[in-house]
Structure formats: C-alpha cells, structure tokens
Amino acid sequence: MQLNPSTILAHATQILAEYGLADLTMRRLARSLDVAPGALYWHFPSKQELLGAIANQLLECVQPPQTTPGARLQSRDEWTRIVNYCVAIYSAMTSLRDGAEITLAALASGTTDRDLRADVRETAGSLGEIAFHYVLGAAMDVQAQQAVASALGDADAAQASADAHHVRRNVEVILAPLLPG
Amino acid sequence: MQLNPSTILAHATQILAEYGLADLTMRRLARSLDVAPGALYWHFPSKQELLGAIANQLLECVQPPQTTPGARLQSRDEWTRIVNYCVAIYSAMTSLRDGAEITLAALASGTTDRDLRADVRETAGSLGEIAFHYVLGAAMDVQAQQAVASALGDADAAQASADAHHVRRNVEVILAPLLPG
C-alpha cells in the first residue's frame, strides 16, 4: 500500500470511529498501516499535526458565513448564514467520534487551517463567541455521553446522532439580538 | 501511610495538576501511593468512580441556586443566584487542570452526586441549558489552551487563570431574558 497523507488519515479515522481518541497513538496507527512509526512521522511530524489534519478534514465542508466582518447585519439572510455556520461547526465536530475534542485540541495548538473562534467572533462579535462556546459545549457533552454508552457496549446509544435541530434553535436564541429589523 | 479515599484523592489531584488527565492511570496512582493497584480498587472500583469523586470534590463549593424549580423568577436577587451558580460551575471546572473534561466524564457516567445539567435546566429552562453548555465550552477551550502551553513548557500561560469576569458577563447576556421586571 502506498503511504500518503490520505491513506494515513483514513486509517486514523477508522481507529477513532472504532476505539476513540484515547486509543489513537502514532504507534498503533503505524501498526494498522503496517509501516514503521518513522514512516508515519515523515508525513505527520507529531500527533498534533495529525489531529490538525483530521480537524481540517472534519471542517472541510464548513463554509465561513461570507458576511462583512464587523458590519451590522443587513438582512435576515446574512443572519441565517451565521446561524448555519455555527450549526455546521456542531455537525462537523459530532460527525466523528471525539471530533469535538480533536477540533478543540487542533484549534488550541494552531494546527487547523482556519481559526473558527476568530471567524465567529469577527462576524458576530461577543454573541458569536458565546455561540461558538455553546456549540463546543453541546458537542463535548453529547460525545461524552456517546463515549460512556460505547464503553458500556450500548452500540445504539453510542451511534445516536446528535440533535442538530435542537442546537440550531439554541444558536438562534443566542444570536437573536443580531437579527436586523 | 494510611490508604483512605482522601489520601487517594490528594495524590490523584497532584498527578492531575502536574501532568494532566492523560497521565492519570490507576497504575500510576498506585505507584505514587506506594501501594498495589488492588488496594486502590478496593476504594475506587474503577477510574470512573475515581473521576466521579474528583468531580464531586471540585463541585463541593458550588451551591445550587435555591430557586423554585419551574417558577417564574420573582426578583433580581433570584436571577443573580442562577448567574452565580453558572459562574461557580465554570470556576470549579477550571480550578484544576483538565477539570472540565473530568467533570464532563463524571456527569456522563453518572458518578457525580448531583446532575448539574438537570439542576440548571430545572431552574432556568432552555436558557439554563444554553448557559450550562456555554460555560462547559468556555472551560474546555481555556483548558485546551492551557494544555498546549503546558506541553510547550510555558508555565505562566499554563497557569493563567481563566477569566471568570468575562464568563459572568456572557452568562448574564444568555440569561437576560429571565430577568424579572
């Protein structure tokens, strides 16, 4: 098998989905790829870099809201784009087991392509920051419950999809003061 | 040394403060206490139980808001008690390295004495739930940054106290619609 970043990421995602972040070590990933750990480090010099690449993959489909930073929102449409952005962050983080923790670690170590926190703050100010921390907390909470369900062998509860509708409603509540008109 | 729950918790807290949650294993804790792992399991049958006890200790000083569940708030004073409760949860979680992750894991596995999530929802409804997830996200975020700073050997940044004033202002924004009068 050709060892390249996308093969490595596919195997890492597989380990995550099956066993969770605690079991994703460079050594184990190398074994799963049947290569020496050194070969892995050539592509990802550290676990931080690997988690950054996984987070980037998770966030690939999350489109920034395309509003004018700092400007007062002009339309309900602009406002909805910001709501959608926050919900998309939640959906991305909960699309992979322990995805919220991985995204957070990657943001903290600066290995993601984008700084979500800054994006949200720029477009929606301090309410954007509240919305970001809300979706982060909600995602961490649902994934902590999934981890417990998984440890107890309750596969259904572990797979239960996070309720994005509920999160959307709450993001709308948080950002309501920004709604123009 | 006498092995009792409080000695065990003191050593666990010490390991957490110095090395973080990833390095807190039952094996390492037993070594630090100079006892066989079996002696430890006699007091804490699992790591979940241990984390639950640590979370209970963190939350010891967090007083429930003493408002009538489900009732409309009658005074600014009652409202302030709910705000204080949310800020106290944040302060408790950030008072120990990785405290937010420990509290969350303990809540998810049901090993804490109280269910914070239910308490907040009962006293402040869906806004209370938003506030809880907000403080959880804010605490996880600041501790993820502290973990990176610590890994980089930046002791000052790793110790930097989380900004509870900022969090209080944001909780007040979230709960503003509940303010009576």
Side-chain angles (χ1 to χ4, degrees), chain A residues 123-160:
Chain A
T123 49
S126 63
L127 290 179
E129 190 201 316
I130 292 176
F132 175 72
H133 279 147
Y134 162 73
V135 296
L136 176 60
M140 295 285 322
D141 195 10
V142 75
Q143 295 199 315
Q145 292 173 52
Q146 287 170 347
V148 169
S150 171
L152 295 174
D154 182 348
D156 286 347
Q159 298 284 325

Short mmCIF file of all heavy atoms in Angstrom, two decimals, chain A residues 123-160:
data_model
loop_
_atom_site.label_atom_id
_atom_site.label_comp_id
_atom_site.label_asym_id
_atom_site.label_seq_id
_atom_site.Cartn_x
_atom_site.Cartn_y
_atom_site.Cartn_z
N THR A 123 -17.43 37.82 12.79
CA THR A 123 -18.70 38.05 12.11
C THR A 123 -19.84 38.35 13.06
O THR A 123 -20.80 39.01 12.67
CB THR A 123 -19.11 36.83 11.25
OG1 THR A 123 -18.99 35.66 12.05
CG2 THR A 123 -18.24 36.70 10.04
N ALA A 124 -19.76 37.89 14.30
CA ALA A 124 -20.90 38.07 15.20
C ALA A 124 -20.51 38.60 16.58
O ALA A 124 -21.32 38.56 17.51
CB ALA A 124 -21.67 36.76 15.33
N GLY A 125 -19.29 39.11 16.72
CA GLY A 125 -18.87 39.76 17.96
C GLY A 125 -18.95 38.84 19.17
O GLY A 125 -18.74 37.63 19.05
N SER A 126 -19.30 39.41 20.32
CA SER A 126 -19.26 38.61 21.55
C SER A 126 -20.39 37.58 21.56
O SER A 126 -20.25 36.52 22.18
CB SER A 126 -19.31 39.50 22.79
OG SER A 126 -20.53 40.20 22.81
N LEU A 127 -21.50 37.85 20.86
CA LEU A 127 -22.55 36.82 20.77
C LEU A 127 -22.04 35.64 19.94
O LEU A 127 -22.40 34.48 20.20
CB LEU A 127 -23.82 37.39 20.14
CG LEU A 127 -24.60 38.39 21.00
CD1 LEU A 127 -25.83 38.89 20.24
CD2 LEU A 127 -25.02 37.79 22.34
N GLY A 128 -21.20 35.92 18.96
CA GLY A 128 -20.59 34.85 18.17
C GLY A 128 -19.70 33.98 19.03
O GLY A 128 -19.70 32.75 18.91
N GLU A 129 -18.97 34.62 19.92
CA GLU A 129 -18.10 33.87 20.83
C GLU A 129 -18.95 32.99 21.76
O GLU A 129 -18.62 31.82 22.00
CB GLU A 129 -17.30 34.88 21.65
CG GLU A 129 -16.19 34.27 22.45
CD GLU A 129 -15.79 35.19 23.60
OE1 GLU A 129 -15.65 36.42 23.37
OE2 GLU A 129 -15.64 34.68 24.71
N ILE A 130 -20.06 33.54 22.26
CA ILE A 130 -20.96 32.75 23.10
C ILE A 130 -21.50 31.56 22.30
O ILE A 130 -21.51 30.42 22.78
CB ILE A 130 -22.14 33.61 23.63
CG1 ILE A 130 -21.62 34.66 24.61
CG2 ILE A 130 -23.20 32.73 24.31
CD1 ILE A 130 -22.68 35.63 25.12
N ALA A 131 -21.92 31.82 21.05
CA ALA A 131 -22.47 30.74 20.22
C ALA A 131 -21.42 29.66 19.97
O ALA A 131 -21.72 28.46 20.02
CB ALA A 131 -22.99 31.30 18.89
N PHE A 132 -20.17 30.09 19.73
CA PHE A 132 -19.10 29.11 19.50
C PHE A 132 -18.89 28.23 20.73
O PHE A 132 -18.81 27.01 20.64
CB PHE A 132 -17.80 29.81 19.10
CG PHE A 132 -16.65 28.85 18.98
CD1 PHE A 132 -16.60 27.96 17.91
CD2 PHE A 132 -15.66 28.79 19.94
CE1 PHE A 132 -15.56 27.05 17.80
CE2 PHE A 132 -14.63 27.88 19.84
CZ PHE A 132 -14.58 27.00 18.77
N HIS A 133 -18.80 28.87 21.91
CA HIS A 133 -18.59 28.08 23.12
C HIS A 133 -19.82 27.22 23.43
O HIS A 133 -19.69 26.13 23.98
CB HIS A 133 -18.22 28.99 24.30
CG HIS A 133 -16.78 29.38 24.28
ND1 HIS A 133 -16.31 30.58 24.73
CD2 HIS A 133 -15.69 28.70 23.84
CE1 HIS A 133 -14.99 30.62 24.58
NE2 HIS A 133 -14.60 29.50 24.04
N TYR A 134 -21.01 27.72 23.10
CA TYR A 134 -22.21 26.90 23.28
C TYR A 134 -22.14 25.62 22.42
O TYR A 134 -22.36 24.52 22.92
CB TYR A 134 -23.50 27.68 22.98
CG TYR A 134 -24.65 26.74 22.75
CD1 TYR A 134 -25.22 26.05 23.81
CD2 TYR A 134 -25.10 26.47 21.46
CE1 TYR A 134 -26.22 25.12 23.60
CE2 TYR A 134 -26.10 25.53 21.24
CZ TYR A 134 -26.66 24.86 22.31
OH TYR A 134 -27.62 23.92 22.10
N VAL A 135 -21.85 25.77 21.12
CA VAL A 135 -21.84 24.56 20.26
C VAL A 135 -20.72 23.61 20.68
O VAL A 135 -20.87 22.39 20.64
CB VAL A 135 -21.77 24.85 18.73
CG1 VAL A 135 -23.00 25.59 18.25
CG2 VAL A 135 -20.52 25.56 18.33
N LEU A 136 -19.60 24.19 21.11
CA LEU A 136 -18.49 23.36 21.59
C LEU A 136 -18.94 22.56 22.82
O LEU A 136 -18.73 21.33 22.89
CB LEU A 136 -17.29 24.26 21.93
CG LEU A 136 -16.07 23.58 22.54
CD1 LEU A 136 -15.52 22.52 21.59
CD2 LEU A 136 -14.99 24.61 22.86
N GLY A 137 -19.56 23.23 23.79
CA GLY A 137 -20.02 22.55 25.00
C GLY A 137 -21.07 21.49 24.69
O GLY A 137 -21.02 20.38 25.23
N ALA A 138 -22.01 21.83 23.81
CA ALA A 138 -23.06 20.88 23.45
C ALA A 138 -22.46 19.65 22.77
O ALA A 138 -22.85 18.51 23.04
CB ALA A 138 -24.10 21.55 22.55
N ALA A 139 -21.48 19.87 21.88
CA ALA A 139 -20.84 18.76 21.17
C ALA A 139 -20.03 17.89 22.14
O ALA A 139 -20.09 16.66 22.09
CB ALA A 139 -19.95 19.28 20.05
N MET A 140 -19.28 18.53 23.03
CA MET A 140 -18.49 17.76 24.00
C MET A 140 -19.43 16.93 24.88
O MET A 140 -19.12 15.78 25.20
CB MET A 140 -17.68 18.70 24.92
CG MET A 140 -16.61 19.53 24.26
SD MET A 140 -15.07 18.69 23.79
CE MET A 140 -14.80 17.56 25.10
N ASP A 141 -20.55 17.53 25.26
CA ASP A 141 -21.49 16.85 26.15
C ASP A 141 -22.07 15.60 25.48
O ASP A 141 -22.06 14.51 26.05
CB ASP A 141 -22.61 17.82 26.54
CG ASP A 141 -23.41 17.32 27.74
OD1 ASP A 141 -22.99 16.33 28.36
OD2 ASP A 141 -24.46 17.91 28.04
N VAL A 142 -22.54 15.75 24.25
CA VAL A 142 -23.15 14.59 23.57
C VAL A 142 -22.09 13.52 23.32
O VAL A 142 -22.37 12.32 23.45
CB VAL A 142 -23.90 15.02 22.29
CG1 VAL A 142 -22.96 15.34 21.15
CG2 VAL A 142 -24.87 13.94 21.84
N GLN A 143 -20.85 13.94 23.02
CA GLN A 143 -19.83 12.93 22.75
C GLN A 143 -19.34 12.24 24.02
O GLN A 143 -18.95 11.07 23.98
CB GLN A 143 -18.68 13.55 21.95
CG GLN A 143 -19.18 14.00 20.56
CD GLN A 143 -18.10 14.20 19.54
OE1 GLN A 143 -17.08 14.79 19.83
NE2 GLN A 143 -18.31 13.71 18.33
N ALA A 144 -19.38 12.96 25.14
CA ALA A 144 -19.04 12.30 26.42
C ALA A 144 -20.08 11.22 26.72
O ALA A 144 -19.74 10.12 27.18
CB ALA A 144 -18.98 13.32 27.54
N GLN A 145 -21.35 11.51 26.44
CA GLN A 145 -22.40 10.52 26.68
C GLN A 145 -22.26 9.33 25.71
O GLN A 145 -22.48 8.18 26.09
CB GLN A 145 -23.77 11.17 26.56
CG GLN A 145 -24.02 12.16 27.69
CD GLN A 145 -25.32 12.95 27.51
OE1 GLN A 145 -26.37 12.38 27.30
NE2 GLN A 145 -25.22 14.26 27.60
N GLN A 146 -21.87 9.64 24.47
CA GLN A 146 -21.67 8.55 23.49
C GLN A 146 -20.50 7.67 23.92
O GLN A 146 -20.54 6.45 23.77
CB GLN A 146 -21.40 9.14 22.10
CG GLN A 146 -22.67 9.71 21.46
CD GLN A 146 -22.39 10.51 20.19
OE1 GLN A 146 -21.24 10.84 19.90
NE2 GLN A 146 -23.43 10.83 19.44
N ALA A 147 -19.45 8.29 24.49
CA ALA A 147 -18.28 7.52 24.92
C ALA A 147 -18.66 6.55 26.04
O ALA A 147 -18.23 5.39 26.05
CB ALA A 147 -17.16 8.45 25.39
N VAL A 148 -19.49 7.04 26.98
CA VAL A 148 -19.93 6.17 28.07
C VAL A 148 -20.79 5.03 27.52
O VAL A 148 -20.59 3.86 27.87
CB VAL A 148 -20.72 6.97 29.13
CG1 VAL A 148 -21.40 6.03 30.12
CG2 VAL A 148 -19.79 7.92 29.87
N ALA A 149 -21.71 5.36 26.61
CA ALA A 149 -22.57 4.33 26.02
C ALA A 149 -21.72 3.28 25.30
O ALA A 149 -21.97 2.08 25.39
CB ALA A 149 -23.56 4.97 25.06
N SER A 150 -20.69 3.76 24.60
CA SER A 150 -19.83 2.86 23.86
C SER A 150 -19.05 1.95 24.81
O SER A 150 -18.92 0.75 24.57
CB SER A 150 -18.87 3.70 23.00
OG SER A 150 -17.91 2.89 22.44
N ALA A 151 -18.56 2.52 25.93
CA ALA A 151 -17.83 1.72 26.91
C ALA A 151 -18.73 0.66 27.54
O ALA A 151 -18.27 -0.41 27.92
CB ALA A 151 -17.22 2.62 27.99
N LEU A 152 -20.02 0.97 27.64
CA LEU A 152 -20.97 0.01 28.22
C LEU A 152 -21.48 -0.97 27.17
O LEU A 152 -22.31 -1.82 27.46
CB LEU A 152 -22.17 0.75 28.83
CG LEU A 152 -21.87 1.65 30.03
CD1 LEU A 152 -23.10 2.44 30.44
CD2 LEU A 152 -21.37 0.81 31.20
N GLY A 153 -20.98 -0.83 25.93
CA GLY A 153 -21.37 -1.76 24.88
C GLY A 153 -22.75 -1.47 24.30
O GLY A 153 -23.34 -2.31 23.63
N ASP A 154 -23.26 -0.25 24.57
CA ASP A 154 -24.57 0.12 24.05
C ASP A 154 -24.38 0.80 22.68
O ASP A 154 -24.30 2.02 22.58
CB ASP A 154 -25.26 1.07 25.04
CG ASP A 154 -26.66 1.46 24.60
OD1 ASP A 154 -27.02 1.20 23.42
OD2 ASP A 154 -27.40 2.03 25.41
N ALA A 155 -24.27 -0.01 21.65
CA ALA A 155 -23.90 0.48 20.33
C ALA A 155 -24.90 1.50 19.79
O ALA A 155 -24.52 2.50 19.17
CB ALA A 155 -23.74 -0.67 19.34
N ASP A 156 -26.18 1.27 20.05
CA ASP A 156 -27.21 2.19 19.54
C ASP A 156 -27.04 3.59 20.12
O ASP A 156 -27.02 4.58 19.40
CB ASP A 156 -28.61 1.67 19.86
CG ASP A 156 -28.97 0.49 18.97
OD1 ASP A 156 -28.24 0.27 17.99
OD2 ASP A 156 -29.95 -0.21 19.28
N ALA A 157 -26.91 3.65 21.45
CA ALA A 157 -26.76 4.95 22.11
C ALA A 157 -25.46 5.61 21.68
O ALA A 157 -25.38 6.83 21.51
CB ALA A 157 -26.81 4.80 23.62
N ALA A 158 -24.41 4.80 21.46
CA ALA A 158 -23.11 5.36 21.08
C ALA A 158 -23.19 5.98 19.68
O ALA A 158 -22.50 6.94 19.38
CB ALA A 158 -22.04 4.29 21.12
N GLN A 159 -24.06 5.42 18.84
CA GLN A 159 -24.17 5.91 17.46
C GLN A 159 -25.22 7.00 17.33
O GLN A 159 -25.30 7.65 16.29
CB GLN A 159 -24.57 4.76 16.52
CG GLN A 159 -23.57 3.62 16.45
CD GLN A 159 -22.36 3.97 15.64
OE1 GLN A 159 -22.46 4.69 14.65
NE2 GLN A 159 -21.20 3.51 16.04
N ALA A 160 -26.05 7.15 18.38
CA ALA A 160 -27.16 8.09 18.30
C ALA A 160 -26.67 9.44 17.77
O ALA A 160 -25.72 10.00 18.28
CB ALA A 160 -27.78 8.28 19.69
#
